[in-house]
Each structure stands twice: as structure tokens, then as C-alpha cells.
Amino acid sequence: IPSSSPSAIPSSSPSATPSSNPSASPSVSPSVSPTRISNTCPSTENIVTNHFDDFEQDEAIPEVYNDLFWENFYVYAPENNISSTPGYFNGITSKTYVAYGFDFRKTASFSAQDTTVFSLLSIYATSAYDEQNFLTIKGYNATDMVVEKTVPINANTPSYVVFDSSFTNLTKIGLDTSLREFAIDDIRLCLS
């Protein structure tokens, strides 16, 4: 975890309106809560949001959490850690915890259990350290990578990324950055 202390916790959250065209490429903009989810989910009852705020301490995300398999992800509460960098603080979009890719040299991923497929609707992503970084999101169906998108992220503001219909019928999502660690919060999925 980082060794420098941020000067302050943001007092207000960024805001923006998500893309209203779900068939367009992923849109990236700072935001805190979308006004519209996506047209890629048939029902709001199928939407699951991973806030990571049900953890009580900094720790590895268990192998099975919220009906998904997780690999190379940890949860982190920046306010509990004096040595945190601004990217972790700024990456919080709900309550206290963010998830982050623990070892940036390895892909951080989450995948469906059994034969379940899902659609990735949106995420908030922040670079933990770097002002200019890129997050690559890869979608898989079984072992085949079927979609890939790269979006810019920074340490100052969470990027709200809305995904189009090409991110449907997936069994796994892999996340990598061009530089060091990234923080994510409020992953929204539509489970089939």
C-alpha cells in the first residue's frame, strides 16, 4: 500500500451524466451515481452492484464473494491507513472501501460461478498513484476473450465507465493497467 499521505479527503463527489446511448463505445466520465443503468439488462432485479462496503478490515477478497469468483483483488479502506495515496481516497464512490488489483503485474479478475453468464454494465475506476494511466477491461466467454476496451484513468477523480452491449454473455472480466495499481468501486453487473 502507498506510503504518502493525502492532504485531504474529498469533500464532495464528482458528478456527470452517463451515456444515453448503450450501443456506443464505453463512455468514461467522472460520476458518483448513474441516472440510468443500461439497456443491456432486461430487469433491474437482475442487477448486482459490488460496493465492497460489507468488509470490516483491509483484506483479500475471498475466492467467492457476492456469487462471483475473485482473483488478485483486495479491499482497502484508505481512511484507516495514514499512508494512503489520493487515488485510493478519490476512488471511493460508496461508503468506505474500494477494491484494487493487488499485484499490478497480474491480471485482477472476477468470474461467474457454474454456467452463469453476466453483462458488465458499469464500474468506477481510479488510478491509485498515477495522474495518467490506462485500465484495460477484457471480457471472456469461457476461455475465449470476446471483447476488450481500454479507458483512461487518473488518481484525482473516479472515471465512470458505462459498457455497451458487446459486454454481454460473459463469464469472466479481467482488469489490467498500463502502470501501477488501480482502485474500483460499484461494479454493476446484470446476472442472467
Side-chain angles (χ1 to χ4, degrees):
I1 303 298
S3 60
S4 64
S5 178
S7 58
I9 297 173
S11 60
S12 64
S13 300
S15 63
T17 303
S19 171
S20 60
N21 181 356
S23 63
S25 295
S27 63
V28 179
S29 62
S31 187
V32 168
S33 59
T35 56
R36 187 166 159 267
I37 301 295
S38 174
N39 285 340
T40 60
C41 195
S43 168
T44 56
E45 293 174 6
N46 295 4
I47 295 173
V48 174
T49 302
N50 286 294
H51 300 288
F52 308 106
D53 293 318
D54 49 350
F55 288 89
E56 295 180 6
Q57 63 185 13
D58 301 346
E59 63 183 294
I61 293 179
E63 182 180 345
V64 178
Y65 168 69
N66 281 355
D67 297 324
L68 297 169
F69 289 107
W70 296 82
E71 185 176 342
N72 195 34
F73 268 111
Y74 275 65
V75 291
Y76 183 60
E79 67 184 31
N80 296 341
N81 296 280
I82 295 171
S83 64
S84 189
T85 65
Y88 290 110
F89 277 101
N90 297 338
I92 296 172
T93 57
S94 63
K95 296 190 183 178
T96 307
Y97 284 89
V98 293
Y100 71 97
F102 176 68
D103 183 345
F104 66 91
R105 296 164 296 201
K106 295 180 182 178
T107 298
S109 66
F110 56 89
S111 56
Q113 294 188 57
D114 305 319
T115 58
T116 305
V117 294
F118 60 85
S119 299
L120 180 60
L121 303 177
S122 64
I123 62 170
Y124 289 92
T126 310
S127 179
Y129 301 91
D130 304 292
E131 295 303 316
Q132 296 180 352
N133 199 349
F134 292 91
L135 179 67
T136 299
I137 303 104
K138 297 176 183 177
Y140 296 84
N141 187 300
T143 58
D144 298 325
M145 187 181 73
V146 294
V147 64
E148 177 181 26
K149 296 291 180 188
T150 300
V151 296
I153 58 174
N154 66 69
N156 298 320
T157 306
S159 295
Y160 177 59
V161 184
V162 177
F163 296 92
D164 65 15
S165 61
S166 65
F167 277 84
T168 59
N169 295 315
L170 302 174
T171 58
K172 179 180 178 180
I173 293 290
L175 299 105
D176 292 294
T177 58
S178 58
L179 298 171
R180 297 176 284 176
E181 295 165 7
F182 62 92
I184 58 171
D185 204 358
D186 293 346
I187 301 172
R188 291 177 186 248
L189 305 170
C190 177
L191 300 178
S192 299

